[in-house]
Amino acid sequence: MQSNIEKQKSDRIFRKFAQVILWLLGLWLGVELLCRLIAEALWFAEVDFQAAFWIRLFTQLGLWTIALFSVSFLLFNLNIAERHRYPAPNSSFPEPRKSPVPTNYPTKYKMEDDRLSFSLGLRWLLTFTIGLTLLVGLLLFHYATVAFNYWQPNVDVTAVSTTIPAHFDGAYVWKNWRNYSNLQLIFLPVVSLLIIIKARIVLKAIAILISFSLGMVLSAQWIKFLEYFQAQSFRITDPLFNRDIGFYIFGLPIWELLEFWLIGLFGFAFVAVALIYLLSGNSLSEGKFPGFNKAQQNHLLLLGGAVMLCVAYSYWLRRYELLYSTQGVVYGASFTDVTVQLPIYTLLSLLAIAIAFLLLWRSIFPEAAKLRKNQQGKRSRYFFVSTGALLLFLSLFVSSLIFPEVVQKLVVQPNEVSRERPFIENNIRLTRQAFQLDKVEVETFNPQGGLTATDIANNDQTIRNIRLWDTRPLLDTNRQLQQFRPYYRFPSANIDRYTLATTLPKETEKRQVILAARELDYQEVPEPAKTWVNKHLVYTHGYGFTMSPVNITAPGGLPYYFVKDIGTVTNSGNLQTSDPLIRYSIPTSNPRIYYGEISDTYVMTNTKIKEFDYPSGDENVYNTYDGLGGITIGDGWQKWVFAKYLNDWQMLLTGNITEQTKVLFRRNINERVRAIAPFLNYDRAPYLVVTDNPQEPEIANNTKNHLYWIIDAYTTSDRYPYSDPGENKFNYIRNSVKVVVDAYNGDVNFYVADPDDPIIKSLSAIFPKMFQPLYAMPAPLRTHIRYPIDIYSIQSERLLAYHMTDPRVFYNREDLWQIPTEIYGGKPQSVQPYYLIMKLPTAREEEFILLLPFTPTARTNLIAWLAGRSDGQEYGNLLLYQFPKQQLVFGPEQIEALINQDPVISQQISLWNRQGSKAIQGNLLIIPIERSLLYVEPLYLEAEQNSVPTLVRVIVAYENRIVMAETLEQALNAIFQPKQPTTAPIVRPVETVPSESVQ
């Protein structure tokens, strides 16, 4: 007795201890969520996008209620199943051997014979039980796998996903099995065994897990739901269902998410309830299941009807998903999909509705749809109707797997061109629309040759902006000559154009330059100096930038700098400029970079510790941040909130915080813009712009910030009908937004560059204060927007095949193009798009363009080049110049071959490639001038250790002439300057001089 009392006492202590642990855990989670919510709200208020934050948060919370509904629905059905299940047999009630209904069940569970469904012996009972438990395991594995892909280790309210999860079907299960076979081989038997041992507890736990997974997946798709309610018309219809494209972009993803949720909800509920009934009454140990009683039958029939409605809904959606089929000769619905698969899916959907109606009818009106024989021994009409519908459904299901393959091989393939022609036309037309290839202007470029020195002089601005310095060797040189301290770093360099003052008769000229930001990389701070104070209070920002013209070299072959160093002359912190005209054109005051590409630490400013500003000789100069960025934390509750949010408790222990102290976090510009607008895709190459912005407020001492980052943002979708995505995850893209980030204050502004894009129209309606028209961008910044490389590369890749608009030519791939290769650093690589200031053959003046050449497949001659325009009213236009196919135009590979087989050039390169150094052939540029093509390739020399690349030669090729010289001017003169005629030599005898006179 004493032991029982002690056991009860220990149980009470354990329960109280468990309750305390749970309360503490709940309190910790509550504090974590509250601090994160407050910190995020304050940060969004700092960047002036607080409304967008609350819209997002409330939408996600609303979608999480679906998870609460799901778990309530599933637990409700499981509780009903527990109420109606057979109880465990009582040993005091002996079981008659031949009774169809076990008498060991209590009287209240005894049913009349006509109320019981068929009974199951041990063999079939085990088969159904194992099959259903494995199905539960597959459901759990599928939804848990999908949720795991959405999992954020830290609760991130800025998270978003635009990828619709795959629905649960046989094809996906098989694919999943092949990808995760080892994991599933362990996972599925374990889940199956746990369900058999502890069905009720395990099934309830799985119900909670699946509901949590559903909530996580749906809440991550919050932007899709908001776009659905702000759907916009594309004013284009698909060729199969004649529905507006907006239905597929905005509507279909929501219907697919609804399918994902309903299949998981009703599918698991039906299987779990069936398992509880099958395993009730110790049926496995007894070796027999007596059959489902009336209450159980009604429950299963209701859930079964709901499952069949979900199946009907799923097949109806698959009709639209045929527009993304990959089974035909091209992407999108093919002949087989339209003539075979579409009718089968339609019939399967209608039959599933009929079966669902029969199941629900049987549940609601059981007497009118008895399964037993009537008095004449004949089956009821309901039996024949339901059995026929089920058999027809199964036969159609099997046909959907076999019949399309038969039709494809026997009907389509022998006449593929004629059968697939209209579908190829659909694919070409809609792919070109989705990637804006239908807006490309196509013209013929017929190289005429005959380029003269006069033509070169008339195109002086193009010649003066030929890029001899590539970003890679320039960055290597910067890292050796301009970093000054190990913790400074140049993460990237970008090409842009600037209007500079000049002493020439023209007051200004447009010059192409390479700009690189000098950022602070805390990881490179010496280990002894890596203290908490240095990390968060001292090393807070980068300083300055370098600007180099693309076509000029300094003595010794090094890059020439318009802007470099840090105040080496004036010792004032201003950057050094090459001459007063550059100083007049390029503002260099206040070049501090608090927000950049590698600014990954949070910092605190206006503390008792001065911030490191820049090195000056053997000493350092210090400064205090006076910008508008950051959140004031002072010495109150905000400090506690951010200490928990940033998981840095030293914020509470330090004595360096004042009432004016600010915390600056999310200083990485890529992370910053993604936190505000995670539903956009961003270009991989943000670029720094130096300019005077008249709208920039004065910070202190009448100084303004002059450094800004511009990031190109894209709206994308993978739901554009018939559009072939290629290697991309999307099949629709627009460069709809230009993002400007203030490098000093951290302000972020989104400007709409493509107001005709329906997706950005939808987003603008959702977030009316987030997006501004492009004309609202300050004019000095607007002159630096450019055609972005990422979308240009994607369009160029799609253009390789989709420049062909004739279906037969496309089918035969008769005119397929490729991106040529070039030699860079002794290794072949694909030619990369490059910016160029040049005058197009159809233009009146030079402009800043992005250019890429194309060659035919399996050949190396030039076939076309694509120009992306960036200036003025022509911004965003693509111009494709095609070369005559009957005329040979040298491609990059052919020019590279001519260069490398030239005996003088190859000998000189081999001489430089001696031990300790190597020659690097830079990018081969194709420069259109007038109606001719000029080929220019720089040649660099670098050491194998501590490389400082120098430009040693410039190679110019024109028609059949190749020249290598020390400068571009010399090379051009050698090709285009006419040779001066030499006078005939005068030959006359030399008089003999006596030897004595010589002495």
Side-chain angles (χ1 to χ4, degrees), residues 529-548:
K530 286 186 176 180
T531 63
W532 184 88
V533 171
N534 280 342
K535 182 177 183 180
H536 300 295
L537 277 66
V538 176
Y539 291 106
T540 59
H541 59 277
Y543 200 94
F545 58 92
T546 65
M547 179 183 287
S548 305

PDB file of all heavy atoms in Angstrom, residues 529-548:
ATOM      1  N   ALA A 529      42.178  41.155 -33.085  1.00  0.00           N
ATOM      2  CA  ALA A 529      41.305  42.339 -33.045  1.00  0.00           C
ATOM      3  C   ALA A 529      39.838  41.983 -33.151  1.00  0.00           C
ATOM      4  O   ALA A 529      38.990  42.889 -33.136  1.00  0.00           O
ATOM      5  CB  ALA A 529      41.687  43.301 -34.162  1.00  0.00           C
ATOM      6  N   LYS A 530      39.502  40.713 -33.276  1.00  0.00           N
ATOM      7  CA  LYS A 530      38.100  40.312 -33.431  1.00  0.00           C
ATOM      8  C   LYS A 530      37.422  40.248 -32.063  1.00  0.00           C
ATOM      9  O   LYS A 530      37.174  39.183 -31.501  1.00  0.00           O
ATOM     10  CB  LYS A 530      37.997  38.968 -34.147  1.00  0.00           C
ATOM     11  CG  LYS A 530      38.293  39.054 -35.638  1.00  0.00           C
ATOM     12  CD  LYS A 530      38.044  37.722 -36.341  1.00  0.00           C
ATOM     13  CE  LYS A 530      38.257  37.853 -37.840  1.00  0.00           C
ATOM     14  NZ  LYS A 530      38.031  36.583 -38.563  1.00  0.00           N
ATOM     15  N   THR A 531      37.122  41.431 -31.548  1.00  0.00           N
ATOM     16  CA  THR A 531      36.414  41.542 -30.280  1.00  0.00           C
ATOM     17  C   THR A 531      34.985  41.988 -30.542  1.00  0.00           C
ATOM     18  O   THR A 531      34.648  42.448 -31.639  1.00  0.00           O
ATOM     19  CB  THR A 531      37.110  42.563 -29.364  1.00  0.00           C
ATOM     20  OG1 THR A 531      37.050  43.852 -29.987  1.00  0.00           O
ATOM     21  CG2 THR A 531      38.571  42.178 -29.142  1.00  0.00           C
ATOM     22  N   TRP A 532      34.145  41.873 -29.537  1.00  0.00           N
ATOM     23  CA  TRP A 532      32.740  42.264 -29.691  1.00  0.00           C
ATOM     24  C   TRP A 532      32.641  43.763 -29.978  1.00  0.00           C
ATOM     25  O   TRP A 532      31.840  44.185 -30.820  1.00  0.00           O
ATOM     26  CB  TRP A 532      31.967  41.910 -28.425  1.00  0.00           C
ATOM     27  CG  TRP A 532      30.505  42.192 -28.544  1.00  0.00           C
ATOM     28  CD1 TRP A 532      29.546  41.354 -29.033  1.00  0.00           C
ATOM     29  CD2 TRP A 532      29.830  43.403 -28.186  1.00  0.00           C
ATOM     30  NE1 TRP A 532      28.313  41.961 -29.001  1.00  0.00           N
ATOM     31  CE2 TRP A 532      28.457  43.223 -28.484  1.00  0.00           C
ATOM     32  CE3 TRP A 532      30.235  44.614 -27.635  1.00  0.00           C
ATOM     33  CZ2 TRP A 532      27.507  44.212 -28.254  1.00  0.00           C
ATOM     34  CZ3 TRP A 532      29.298  45.603 -27.411  1.00  0.00           C
ATOM     35  CH2 TRP A 532      27.940  45.402 -27.719  1.00  0.00           C
ATOM     36  N   VAL A 533      33.443  44.558 -29.325  1.00  0.00           N
ATOM     37  CA  VAL A 533      33.408  46.006 -29.526  1.00  0.00           C
ATOM     38  C   VAL A 533      33.819  46.353 -30.948  1.00  0.00           C
ATOM     39  O   VAL A 533      33.174  47.167 -31.627  1.00  0.00           O
ATOM     40  CB  VAL A 533      34.312  46.720 -28.501  1.00  0.00           C
ATOM     41  CG1 VAL A 533      34.453  48.199 -28.843  1.00  0.00           C
ATOM     42  CG2 VAL A 533      33.740  46.565 -27.096  1.00  0.00           C
ATOM     43  N   ASN A 534      34.908  45.745 -31.426  1.00  0.00           N
ATOM     44  CA  ASN A 534      35.344  46.024 -32.803  1.00  0.00           C
ATOM     45  C   ASN A 534      34.308  45.590 -33.825  1.00  0.00           C
ATOM     46  O   ASN A 534      34.069  46.283 -34.817  1.00  0.00           O
ATOM     47  CB  ASN A 534      36.670  45.319 -33.080  1.00  0.00           C
ATOM     48  CG  ASN A 534      37.851  46.083 -32.518  1.00  0.00           C
ATOM     49  OD1 ASN A 534      37.744  47.272 -32.210  1.00  0.00           O
ATOM     50  ND2 ASN A 534      38.974  45.411 -32.354  1.00  0.00           N
ATOM     51  N   LYS A 535      33.696  44.435 -33.593  1.00  0.00           N
ATOM     52  CA  LYS A 535      32.758  43.880 -34.573  1.00  0.00           C
ATOM     53  C   LYS A 535      31.518  44.736 -34.720  1.00  0.00           C
ATOM     54  O   LYS A 535      31.017  44.937 -35.844  1.00  0.00           O
ATOM     55  CB  LYS A 535      32.381  42.452 -34.177  1.00  0.00           C
ATOM     56  CG  LYS A 535      31.454  41.762 -35.162  1.00  0.00           C
ATOM     57  CD  LYS A 535      31.196  40.323 -34.730  1.00  0.00           C
ATOM     58  CE  LYS A 535      30.323  39.602 -35.760  1.00  0.00           C
ATOM     59  NZ  LYS A 535      30.068  38.188 -35.360  1.00  0.00           N
ATOM     60  N   HIS A 536      30.982  45.235 -33.621  1.00  0.00           N
ATOM     61  CA  HIS A 536      29.685  45.898 -33.657  1.00  0.00           C
ATOM     62  C   HIS A 536      29.729  47.401 -33.420  1.00  0.00           C
ATOM     63  O   HIS A 536      28.745  48.093 -33.714  1.00  0.00           O
ATOM     64  CB  HIS A 536      28.746  45.262 -32.617  1.00  0.00           C
ATOM     65  CG  HIS A 536      28.501  43.809 -32.856  1.00  0.00           C
ATOM     66  ND1 HIS A 536      27.846  43.337 -33.959  1.00  0.00           N
ATOM     67  CD2 HIS A 536      28.830  42.718 -32.119  1.00  0.00           C
ATOM     68  CE1 HIS A 536      27.763  42.015 -33.909  1.00  0.00           C
ATOM     69  NE2 HIS A 536      28.359  41.613 -32.808  1.00  0.00           N
ATOM     70  N   LEU A 537      30.850  47.928 -32.918  1.00  0.00           N
ATOM     71  CA  LEU A 537      30.899  49.351 -32.588  1.00  0.00           C
ATOM     72  C   LEU A 537      31.976  50.114 -33.351  1.00  0.00           C
ATOM     73  O   LEU A 537      31.839  51.330 -33.557  1.00  0.00           O
ATOM     74  CB  LEU A 537      31.126  49.557 -31.085  1.00  0.00           C
ATOM     75  CG  LEU A 537      29.900  49.489 -30.161  1.00  0.00           C
ATOM     76  CD1 LEU A 537      29.316  48.087 -30.135  1.00  0.00           C
ATOM     77  CD2 LEU A 537      30.275  49.906 -28.744  1.00  0.00           C
ATOM     78  N   VAL A 538      33.044  49.440 -33.789  1.00  0.00           N
ATOM     79  CA  VAL A 538      34.180  50.143 -34.387  1.00  0.00           C
ATOM     80  C   VAL A 538      34.211  49.964 -35.898  1.00  0.00           C
ATOM     81  O   VAL A 538      34.153  50.935 -36.660  1.00  0.00           O
ATOM     82  CB  VAL A 538      35.508  49.666 -33.753  1.00  0.00           C
ATOM     83  CG1 VAL A 538      36.695  50.344 -34.451  1.00  0.00           C
ATOM     84  CG2 VAL A 538      35.515  49.981 -32.267  1.00  0.00           C
ATOM     85  N   TYR A 539      34.274  48.702 -36.357  1.00  0.00           N
ATOM     86  CA  TYR A 539      34.352  48.437 -37.799  1.00  0.00           C
ATOM     87  C   TYR A 539      32.938  48.398 -38.371  1.00  0.00           C
ATOM     88  O   TYR A 539      32.305  47.352 -38.472  1.00  0.00           O
ATOM     89  CB  TYR A 539      35.081  47.121 -38.052  1.00  0.00           C
ATOM     90  CG  TYR A 539      36.546  47.169 -37.710  1.00  0.00           C
ATOM     91  CD1 TYR A 539      37.031  46.548 -36.564  1.00  0.00           C
ATOM     92  CD2 TYR A 539      37.446  47.850 -38.519  1.00  0.00           C
ATOM     93  CE1 TYR A 539      38.380  46.593 -36.238  1.00  0.00           C
ATOM     94  CE2 TYR A 539      38.798  47.902 -38.209  1.00  0.00           C
ATOM     95  CZ  TYR A 539      39.254  47.269 -37.064  1.00  0.00           C
ATOM     96  OH  TYR A 539      40.585  47.325 -36.760  1.00  0.00           O
ATOM     97  N   THR A 540      32.456  49.572 -38.728  1.00  0.00           N
ATOM     98  CA  THR A 540      31.041  49.692 -39.102  1.00  0.00           C
ATOM     99  C   THR A 540      30.800  49.900 -40.587  1.00  0.00           C
ATOM    100  O   THR A 540      29.684  49.673 -41.056  1.00  0.00           O
ATOM    101  CB  THR A 540      30.406  50.872 -38.347  1.00  0.00           C
ATOM    102  OG1 THR A 540      31.116  52.072 -38.673  1.00  0.00           O
ATOM    103  CG2 THR A 540      30.427  50.636 -36.840  1.00  0.00           C
ATOM    104  N   HIS A 541      31.809  50.322 -41.358  1.00  0.00           N
ATOM    105  CA  HIS A 541      31.505  50.693 -42.738  1.00  0.00           C
ATOM    106  C   HIS A 541      32.736  50.633 -43.623  1.00  0.00           C
ATOM    107  O   HIS A 541      33.873  50.717 -43.148  1.00  0.00           O
ATOM    108  CB  HIS A 541      30.925  52.118 -42.796  1.00  0.00           C
ATOM    109  CG  HIS A 541      31.835  53.166 -42.245  1.00  0.00           C
ATOM    110  ND1 HIS A 541      31.922  53.431 -40.889  1.00  0.00           N
ATOM    111  CD2 HIS A 541      32.701  54.031 -42.857  1.00  0.00           C
ATOM    112  CE1 HIS A 541      32.798  54.402 -40.690  1.00  0.00           C
ATOM    113  NE2 HIS A 541      33.282  54.786 -41.876  1.00  0.00           N
ATOM    114  N   GLY A 542      32.481  50.497 -44.923  1.00  0.00           N
ATOM    115  CA  GLY A 542      33.530  50.614 -45.922  1.00  0.00           C
ATOM    116  C   GLY A 542      33.724  52.073 -46.300  1.00  0.00           C
ATOM    117  O   GLY A 542      33.001  52.965 -45.824  1.00  0.00           O
ATOM    118  N   TYR A 543      34.706  52.292 -47.186  1.00  0.00           N
ATOM    119  CA  TYR A 543      35.017  53.692 -47.482  1.00  0.00           C
ATOM    120  C   TYR A 543      35.502  53.825 -48.920  1.00  0.00           C
ATOM    121  O   TYR A 543      36.550  53.311 -49.302  1.00  0.00           O
ATOM    122  CB  TYR A 543      36.100  54.210 -46.528  1.00  0.00           C
ATOM    123  CG  TYR A 543      36.155  55.720 -46.427  1.00  0.00           C
ATOM    124  CD1 TYR A 543      35.471  56.388 -45.416  1.00  0.00           C
ATOM    125  CD2 TYR A 543      36.873  56.472 -47.343  1.00  0.00           C
ATOM    126  CE1 TYR A 543      35.508  57.764 -45.313  1.00  0.00           C
ATOM    127  CE2 TYR A 543      36.928  57.851 -47.257  1.00  0.00           C
ATOM    128  CZ  TYR A 543      36.235  58.492 -46.232  1.00  0.00           C
ATOM    129  OH  TYR A 543      36.268  59.862 -46.132  1.00  0.00           O
ATOM    130  N   GLY A 544      34.698  54.504 -49.730  1.00  0.00           N
ATOM    131  CA  GLY A 544      35.140  54.922 -51.046  1.00  0.00           C
ATOM    132  C   GLY A 544      34.963  53.893 -52.138  1.00  0.00           C
ATOM    133  O   GLY A 544      34.369  52.829 -51.958  1.00  0.00           O
ATOM    134  N   PHE A 545      35.538  54.232 -53.281  1.00  0.00           N
ATOM    135  CA  PHE A 545      35.401  53.416 -54.474  1.00  0.00           C
ATOM    136  C   PHE A 545      36.528  53.774 -55.426  1.00  0.00           C
ATOM    137  O   PHE A 545      37.249  54.768 -55.228  1.00  0.00           O
ATOM    138  CB  PHE A 545      34.049  53.668 -55.144  1.00  0.00           C
ATOM    139  CG  PHE A 545      33.817  55.099 -55.536  1.00  0.00           C
ATOM    140  CD1 PHE A 545      34.163  55.567 -56.805  1.00  0.00           C
ATOM    141  CD2 PHE A 545      33.269  56.001 -54.635  1.00  0.00           C
ATOM    142  CE1 PHE A 545      33.977  56.890 -57.164  1.00  0.00           C
ATOM    143  CE2 PHE A 545      33.083  57.336 -54.983  1.00  0.00           C
ATOM    144  CZ  PHE A 545      33.431  57.788 -56.245  1.00  0.00           C
ATOM    145  N   THR A 546      36.693  52.972 -56.426  1.00  0.00           N
ATOM    146  CA  THR A 546      37.606  53.302 -57.514  1.00  0.00           C
ATOM    147  C   THR A 546      36.806  53.402 -58.798  1.00  0.00           C
ATOM    148  O   THR A 546      35.810  52.698 -58.981  1.00  0.00           O
ATOM    149  CB  THR A 546      38.706  52.239 -57.687  1.00  0.00           C
ATOM    150  OG1 THR A 546      38.116  50.999 -58.082  1.00  0.00           O
ATOM    151  CG2 THR A 546      39.492  52.060 -56.402  1.00  0.00           C
ATOM    152  N   MET A 547      37.243  54.303 -59.660  1.00  0.00           N
ATOM    153  CA  MET A 547      36.627  54.457 -60.968  1.00  0.00           C
ATOM    154  C   MET A 547      37.736  54.492 -62.015  1.00  0.00           C
ATOM    155  O   MET A 547      38.651  55.304 -61.917  1.00  0.00           O
ATOM    156  CB  MET A 547      35.784  55.735 -61.037  1.00  0.00           C
ATOM    157  CG  MET A 547      35.135  55.960 -62.399  1.00  0.00           C
ATOM    158  SD  MET A 547      34.200  57.510 -62.505  1.00  0.00           S
ATOM    159  CE  MET A 547      32.779  57.117 -61.508  1.00  0.00           C
ATOM    160  N   SER A 548      37.628  53.596 -62.989  1.00  0.00           N
ATOM    161  CA  SER A 548      38.659  53.487 -64.018  1.00  0.00           C
ATOM    162  C   SER A 548      38.026  53.536 -65.393  1.00  0.00           C
ATOM    163  O   SER A 548      37.012  52.867 -65.629  1.00  0.00           O
ATOM    164  CB  SER A 548      39.425  52.166 -63.875  1.00  0.00           C
ATOM    165  OG  SER A 548      39.958  52.014 -62.589  1.00  0.00           O
TER     166      SER A 548
END
